[in-house]
Amino acid sequence: MRSEFGETSEAIFLTSGYSYDDAETVAARFRGDEKGMTYSRLQNPTVAMFEERLRLIEGADACRAMASGMAAMTAALLSQLRAGDHVVAGRALFGSCRWLVDSLLPKFGIETTVVDGREVDAWKRAVRPNTKLFFMETPANPTMDICDIRAISDIAHNAGAVVVVDNAFATPVLQRPLEFGADIVAYSATKMLDGQGRVLAGAVLGSEEFIEGELLAFTRNTGPTLSAFNAWVVLKGLETLDLRMAKQCENALSVARFLDARVPRLLYPALPSHPQHDLAMAQMSAGGTIMSLFVADGRRQAHALLDALTLVDISNNIGDSRSLMTHPASTTHAGLDETVREEMGVAESMLRLSVGLEDPADVIDDLDRALCAVGL
Ligand SMILES: *Cc1c(COP(=O)(O)O)cnc(C)c1O
């Protein structure tokens, strides 16, 4: 969308409000009889450009931008659930997503069951008469568990439930859950969609009925709105998303092949050593930018490996153009009980690596040196 100046790069509309030619115009907009902006908690031209572009990439009917990935997950769940409903979730989830399921929803009288998301039958067994929603992350952070989106969506629909997929790891470039039967896709756009570690952002996509109905009612009144500036940054990120994904997936595959032969255990969906390799490759067009590797000797050795890196940064973020590594058990998943972590598969010996745009030979050199330094 261009202003009267014909700019090639989209304008940033940093405005909270709008003014009108006459009183009837604003009244018509508030009645919903006339399209147009009224207040940036409700609509903003720059945010709308981001929403439209992501909607087209995803192939969804509608999209609503959010202030962060967690704002997107919270809105996608709370907007359509009520006390007495039941939710089934894959147990391997991003730490804060798991907190929503374990702590927030039950506080409002919503029952939750977590299952091993890899086992299709486990989803089926968890269904109750009041089951309203299935929530999954695939590949999951950081265990790289894969959920069979089509089979699980069939179970949900037979039970009258909707399916929400957190697609942050794959992005719409590698995996489009709606094509496999999911109803709603939610993103942390902070990750690959921005891709350069600059801003927090999120989005929820799905049917026009849901996005413009329940979700819009929830977000316009509770306010988890994306700022115009952050929308502009992520909008620019989307222009290079497919190029960055292609290159970073290629780099990640090289790094994964090196690590697979070198560390006690590696989880990367594009390698046959991943226990769900075939399913992953049936749903995703490449392995993604993230992998989890295991050292031999728990947290001590994992932390020592991080400290020995020079090119790869120690960071709990992912999806950056720079390679980043973290120890999930002491960072992103530190807030969970040790038993929950173990049951999820977040081991003390696990490290998560997000591969960036550097020359993969340099990343491999850095890893090689750090592994030698810790005796691996
Ligand atoms: C980072 C992340 C989130 C949370 O997103 P924020 O933008 O940090 O709020 C949710 N799910 C997954 C899988 C993530 O990686």
Side-chain angles (χ1 to χ4, degrees), residues 52-60 172-173 176 238-239 241:
E52 179 60 4
R53 192 169 289 179
L54 183 59
R55 184 188 78 74
L56 290 168
I57 295 173
E58 190 73 44
V173 175
R176 281 187 285 278
L238 290 183
E239 290 180 5
L241 177 63

Side-chain angles (χ1 to χ4, degrees), residues 29-272:
R29 286 193 195 171
F30 272 81
R31 279 197 311 271
D33 291 347
E34 183 187 300
K35 272 205 173 306
M37 308 285 156
T38 54
Y39 188 57
S40 283
R41 172 152 42 76
L42 281 50
Q43 323 89 357
N44 174 280
T46 312
V47 175
M49 285 187 265
F50 164 65
E51 290 170 337
E52 179 60 4
R53 192 169 289 179
L54 183 59
R55 184 188 78 74
L56 290 168
I57 295 173
E58 190 73 44
D61 291 340
C63 174
R64 181 89 177 152
M66 301 287 167
S68 68
M70 286 322 302
M73 303 308 151
T74 306
L77 298 178
L78 276 187
S79 64
Q80 54 182 330
L81 293 168
R82 64 187 66 232
D85 286 347
H86 175 238
V87 171
V88 186
R91 70 185 177 194
L93 293 175
F94 180 69
S96 296
C97 293
R98 190 61 203 257
W99 182 86
L100 292 183
V101 171
D102 291 347
S103 302
L104 186 75
L105 298 182
K107 206 166 136 182
F108 293 97
I110 299 156
E111 301 171 44
T112 63
T113 305
V114 291
V115 298
D116 183 339
R118 296 168 297 186
E119 283 182 33
V120 172
D121 283 346
W123 293 85
K124 196 170 191 167
R125 285 196 301 274
V127 169
R128 298 179 193 169
N130 57 339
T131 302
K132 287 285 155 54
L133 187 145
F134 279 15
F135 181 40
M136 69 178 81
E137 194 176 298
T138 181
N141 183 0
T143 61
M144 309 309 291
D145 285 3
I146 308 291
C147 297
D148 185 333
I149 304 170
R150 191 183 296 285
I152 296 165
S153 296
D154 284 348
I155 293 167
H157 296 152
N158 282 333
V162 299
V163 177
V164 179
V165 177
D166 178 342
N167 201 35
F169 269 40
T171 83
V173 175
L174 301 189
Q175 172 173 278
R176 281 187 285 278
L178 301 177
E179 291 175 2
F180 296 105
D183 302 285
I184 294 155
V185 183
Y187 284 104
S188 168
T190 313
K191 312 294 167 55
M192 277 308 290
L193 306 194
D194 168 28
Q196 287 146 92
R198 299 168 296 193
V199 296
L200 291 171
V204 182
L205 299 105
S207 70
E208 191 140 1
E209 189 192 354
F210 169 66
I211 301 286
E212 306 302 340
E214 278 173 312
L215 187 79
L216 183 60
F218 182 88
T219 58
R220 70 192 305 170
N221 293 302
T222 59
T225 317
L226 182 61
S227 80
F229 181 80
N230 289 4
W232 182 83
V233 172
V234 185
L235 181 72
K236 292 284 131 191
L238 290 183
E239 290 180 5
T240 55
L241 177 63
D242 64 335
L243 297 172
R244 286 183 285 105
M245 280 304 285
K247 183 64 181 152
Q248 287 179 236
C249 288
E250 186 189 312
N251 291 357
L253 184 61
S254 304
V255 172
R257 285 199 175 116
F258 162 76
L259 286 173
D260 203 28
R262 181 64 189 273
V263 296
R265 190 166 166 228
L266 178 84
L267 291 168
Y268 182 63
L271 292 185

